[in-house]
Amino acid sequence: MTRTLLAATLMLVTTSMQAAEKTFESPDGQIVVTVNDEGSKPTYKVSLQGQTVLEPSPLGVSANYANLTEQLAMTNCQVNTVTDEYVLRTWKQSHINYQATEAVCQFSQGDWHAMDIIFRVSNRDVAFRYKLYPKPARGGNTLVGVINGEASGFVLPEGTTTFLCPQSTPMTGFARTAPSYETNYTLDDQMGKNGWGAGYTFPCLFKAPLTTPTSLVEGSGESIWLLISETGTDGSYVGYRLLNNGGANYSIGFPQEGEMNGQGSTSAAVSLPFETPWRTMTMGTTLAPIVESTVANDLVKPKYQASKDYTYGKGSWSWIIGMDRSCNFDEQKRYIDFSAAMGWRSVLIDALWDTQIGYERMEELARYAQSRGVGLFLWYNSNGSWNDAPQTPRHKMDRSTARRQEMAWMQRNGILGIKVDFFGGDKQPMMQLYEDILTDANEFGLQVIFHGCTLPRGWERMYPNYVASEAVLASENLHFGQGMCDAEAKNACTHTFIRNVAASMDFGGSTLNKHYSADNQRGTIRRTSDVFALATAVLFQSSVQHFAMAPNNLQDAPGWAVEFMKNVPTQWDEVRFLDGYPGRYAIMARRSGQKWYIAGINAQDEPVKTKLDLSTFFTKGTQIAAYSDDASLNGSVKTSVLKNLRYAINVPLNGAFLIVGDASNNLQN
């Protein structure tokens, strides 16, 4: 009897010491995730088609009420299938059918069910988040807590190269407005670096070598591409960055102490139970899954109903060409006439309008715009006390009373929306400010664009009146420095595969001026072609686009280019990756209704020469318009009937091509 009891006890001890492990896979079986609690610490690893994407990587959170990174046991892991179908008119794909494997892995500390780690695995994405539970305590459960950090990590295979955007140090840069998420990417770099010392801005792209190419399906590339980002972040949490902890080890980083001029904590105060935002990983043996992924919006839900049926489209913007002095009544009236002539929806009136035009004359300008069938977007400084940016209007968006009074004035005068600039980091109070601005703006029927801001994280679906964010080294830098003009093609080929695939991007480009100046005779010189300007209007995605064209383009730009810009869509139904490499060249296709737009740009010294297979998009006999550049970047357009669905292109440095035609009958539903 005693021996039997002893044997049973030893068996129980041995079993409890063994690590629990659970493996689950994507619906098509190509992505496999394994979760483990070996050493009482949760980890996960990821493979794609038998190739390692992530080595065992840590999981868990550190809170003021418990350390949920160790002394944990996985007690259960329930796996099922989740589906979702939704329509999103402001995203890269309008009609989305989502299917994924969901695994809810329960972790306990002793008898306490401390947290779930929830995984979603689709055919191109892996995502996870934490659900944290109240902790039993003497006198009652712990119902609130502070999350101080996460163990969430990403251990990449040896030999991986990086394509990353360094995070800025807080309270640096122009008027101490950093971090504004506007730094140049480092491309094809080695692991083991930490940016400028503060890590990297999401999204983050990696390229890992293949170890057994023969296991890959026919037609795959020669590497595994991995994009790491996050989604679902709102005012209840903080925004992240990515930190390197040496070599191939990367982890989630919370905000920096100096953000918001030192206001607020770097941690997140939460009410339990609580679900964190999602960390996302999109992967493939080509860049197609990354370009075409919709994961940022697949994992979130709308937070409120749209207060009206918002409309979208193109607009003009004087500031990029004329700078601050252009924000006067007469020049804005001229731009209103320009937008009307182009058939565009709006004009964005930038900083200093409150002093250089004034509220009373702005009301007059709004009435004039409406008489021409044009609406207005107005610029605002977000600032309360987190930077030195002097541009006005200031102190209109940082507090509820002033903000709502201002928005009521805009609503009375038919203003379409706002562009709010100069935010101060990713702390919880700043994330709450984004949400408060969006929520109040919706109540007054206003659309919202953010600049000098963080990466949006699923906001197209979460906030129905959200349009786009900058969060990129955008077009203003083409005005400020010739070096940025010289690198325009390289940066465009980068943003297409990294920043803009994660969220809508307000770049403000596509100028047809030769110079960034009001007289088009001086200032920085555009190196790219006119066809390049048209192509980026397709490659860069945002449902509202304020282009950098100017009224003089009606006389000094090629008529075919102006006509294209009059008609190019800003809302898309489908996107497809065709070819390209970050920083070198990009070829993509977007569909709007029954029409495909296939666009390509080149940043390499040597021309891009290839034959495109157009059978997916068109049938023989389809009439197309083909825009192209010669070796001297002289653009032209030719209309022809397709006789061969193998189409040869030859794209010079700083040049582009476009093919536009009605779609075949194989449209995606």
Side-chain angles (χ1 to χ4, degrees):
M1 192 75 164
T2 304
R3 289 179 181 177
T4 303
L5 180 60
L6 179 60
T9 303
L10 288 173
M11 183 177 296
L12 178 62
V13 171
T14 302
T15 302
S16 66
M17 291 174 65
Q18 292 177 346
E21 184 171 279
K22 183 69 176 180
T23 296
F24 41 92
E25 60 187 32
S26 57
D28 65 3
Q30 297 297 301
I31 299 176
V32 177
V33 178
T34 301
V35 181
N36 198 299
D37 68 356
E38 187 172 0
S40 300
K41 295 182 178 181
T43 64
Y44 73 112
K45 61 182 179 180
V46 180
S47 66
L48 169 67
Q49 299 178 17
Q51 306 288 314
T52 297
V53 178
L54 290 180
E55 304 283 359
S57 302
L59 294 165
V61 301
S62 175
N64 67 341
Y65 62 92
N67 181 3
L68 301 180
T69 66
E70 58 186 14
Q71 298 181 352
L72 292 164
M74 183 166 61
T75 55
N76 192 16
C77 195
Q78 298 180 342
V79 179
N80 54 49
T81 298
V82 294
T83 60
D84 191 14
E85 182 177 356
Y86 62 98
V87 173
L88 192 58
R89 295 182 298 156
T90 58
W91 187 219
K92 64 175 80 171
Q93 184 173 319
S94 62
H95 190 175
I96 299 164
N97 288 286
Y98 175 68
Q99 182 179 0
T101 301
E102 181 180 75
V104 180
C105 300
Q106 300 176 3
F107 284 84
S108 298
Q109 278 188 341
D111 296 331
W112 172 39
H113 177 189
M115 71 175 174
D116 296 335
I117 305 179
I118 304 170
F119 285 86
R120 292 276 186 90
V121 188
S122 73
N123 290 342
R124 57 194 175 197
D125 310 291
V126 174
F128 67 88
R129 69 174 174 184
Y130 304 100
K131 184 172 183 179
L132 310 176
Y133 291 97
K135 183 178 183 179
R138 185 175 299 175
N141 290 341
T142 300
L143 298 179
V144 297
V146 175
I147 310 303
N148 295 314
E150 295 187 13
S152 307
F154 312 89
V155 182
L156 298 162
E158 289 299 322
T160 296
T161 55
T162 70
F163 303 75
L164 301 174
C165 179
Q167 181 95 336
S168 299
T169 302
M171 304 299 289
T172 60
F174 169 75
R176 298 198 293 169
T177 56
S180 52
Y181 314 92
E182 300 175 32
T183 60
N184 277 308
Y185 282 80
T186 56
L187 305 178
D188 280 305
D189 205 359
Q190 298 177 342
M191 295 188 295
K193 301 179 181 179
N194 206 27
W196 300 338
Y200 299 98
T201 297
F202 282 127
C204 299
L205 182 65
F206 300 88
K207 184 182 72 169
L210 297 183
T211 54
T212 54
T214 55
S215 71
L216 296 177
V217 297
E218 184 179 355
S220 294
E222 299 177 354
S223 306
I224 292 179
W225 292 93
L226 172 67
L227 188 81
I228 300 176
S229 192
E230 62 171 331
T231 193
T233 309
D234 59 16
S236 67
Y237 211 61
V238 298
Y240 300 132
R241 54 201 164 108
L242 190 68
L243 301 177
N244 181 267
N245 301 311
N249 299 303
Y250 292 83
S251 65
I252 291 295
F254 271 41
Q256 302 172 75
E257 182 66 37
E259 294 176 17
M260 291 186 67
N261 195 21
Q263 301 175 60
S265 170
T266 61
S267 56
V270 300
S271 176
L272 302 174
F274 178 78
E275 292 181 334
T276 69
W278 295 90
R279 302 97 188 89
T280 66
M281 292 153 280
T282 303
M283 61 202 70
T285 55
T286 72
L287 285 164
I290 289 169
V291 169
E292 299 168 13
S293 174
T294 55
V295 68
N297 289 294
D298 294 338
L299 299 171
V300 301
K301 298 290 185 182
K303 295 178 73 69
Y304 51 72
Q305 294 295 315
S307 64
K308 69 178 189 181
D309 185 14
Y310 291 107
T311 58
Y312 308 92
K314 300 172 287 293
S316 61
W317 176 41
S318 71
W319 186 87
I320 182 61
I321 299 296
M323 296 279 106
D324 291 347
R325 69 179 70 89
S326 72
C327 292
N328 62 73
F329 184 92
D330 292 339
E331 187 69 350
Q332 295 311 306
K333 188 174 181 181
R334 190 166 76 101
Y335 268 79
I336 289 169
D337 291 338
F338 173 53
S339 279
M342 293 292 291
W344 289 352
R345 170 177 175 260
S346 63
V347 171
L348 167 62
I349 302 181
D350 220 281
L352 306 176
W353 62 263
D354 59 325
T355 58
Q356 296 179 181
I357 297 174
Y359 279 82
E360 188 173 325
R361 295 216 76 190
M362 183 58 74
E363 294 175 4
E364 180 184 347
L365 203 59
R367 290 192 296 271
Y368 178 75
Q370 291 167 21
S371 74
R372 300 301 315 275
V374 175
L376 302 181
F377 278 73
L378 300 182
W379 185 96
Y380 284 86
N381 192 330
S382 79
N383 198 20
S385 54
W386 39 82
N387 59 61
D388 300 323
Q391 286 83 355
T392 57
R394 299 176 77 234
H395 303 295
K396 298 291 188 180
M397 291 292 139
D398 59 305
R399 292 291 185 271
S400 176
T401 301
R403 180 170 60 241
R404 292 178 63 83
Q405 289 176 350
E406 193 78 0
M407 290 177 173
W409 170 82
M410 285 187 270
Q411 185 182 51
R412 290 194 301 271
N413 287 281
I415 303 301
L416 290 179
I418 54 177
K419 170 184 170 181
V420 189
D421 207 340
F422 300 135
F423 290 84
D426 288 330
K427 290 180 177 178
Q428 191 172 18
M430 189 58 71
M431 304 309 293
Q432 185 65 61
L433 179 61
Y434 285 113
E435 186 165 29
D436 289 346
I437 290 172
L438 285 160
T439 304
D440 285 347
N442 181 64
E443 185 174 335
F444 292 98
L446 299 169
Q447 293 176 306
V448 180
I449 299 168
F450 292 125
H451 265 235
C453 58
T454 193
L455 177 76
R457 297 154 164 94
W459 294 356
E460 293 90 351
R461 193 177 183 196
M462 292 165 66
Y463 306 106
N465 57 321
Y466 169 80
V467 173
S469 295
E470 185 181 28
V472 71
L473 204 59
S475 64
E476 63 201 50
N477 297 281
L478 300 171
H479 186 119
F480 294 146
Q482 187 59 47
M484 290 303 298
C485 287
D486 298 343
E488 181 183 6
K490 176 184 176 182
N491 288 330
C493 291
T494 300
H495 304 326
T496 302
F497 297 127
I498 307 178
R499 163 62 183 90
N500 205 188
V501 302
S504 299
M505 180 177 74
D506 192 64
F507 188 84
S510 295
T511 187
L512 291 175
N513 266 24
K514 298 299 182 184
H515 297 264
Y516 281 89
S517 63
D519 62 8
N520 202 12
Q521 299 296 319
R522 54 190 172 80
T524 55
I525 303 168
R526 177 166 59 96
R527 301 298 190 194
T528 55
S529 71
D530 290 336
V531 180
F532 185 100
L534 311 190
T536 55
V538 174
L539 294 173
F540 293 171
Q541 180 270 322
S542 174
S543 59
V544 173
Q545 293 265 30
H546 288 110
F547 294 120
M549 289 178 63
N552 52 275
N553 295 152
L554 294 173
Q555 289 77 43
D556 61 18
W560 51 264
V562 173
E563 284 302 309
F564 180 92
M565 294 302 295
K566 285 181 178 179
N567 297 300
V568 64
T570 63
Q571 292 176 262
W572 303 101
D573 295 302
E574 191 176 352
V575 60
R576 295 191 189 177
F577 166 82
L578 298 183
D579 201 359
Y581 192 95
R584 300 180 188 176
Y585 69 103
I587 305 175
M588 289 168 47
R590 294 194 192 273
R591 179 174 61 82
S592 177
Q594 296 292 317
K595 197 175 292 291
W596 278 107
Y597 292 74
I598 303 174
I601 56 176
N602 182 27
Q604 302 175 113
D605 290 335
E606 65 275 10
V608 172
K609 297 180 180 180
T610 189
K611 284 191 175 182
L612 298 177
D613 180 2
L614 301 184
S615 61
T616 303
F617 311 104
F618 309 120
T619 56
K620 288 183 180 180
T622 300
Q623 180 172 293
I624 62 166
Y627 301 75
S628 61
D629 286 316
D630 64 18
S632 300
L633 299 184
N634 296 311
S636 62
V637 58
K638 295 180 181 178
T639 302
S640 62
V641 174
L642 277 178
K643 297 180 180 180
N644 188 341
L645 294 177
R646 297 286 294 178
Y647 193 90
I649 61 167
N650 186 341
V651 188
L653 170 65
N654 290 326
F657 81 92
L658 280 159
I659 301 171
V660 183
D662 288 337
S664 61
N665 294 324
N666 58 349
L667 298 182
Q668 180 171 325
N669 292 323

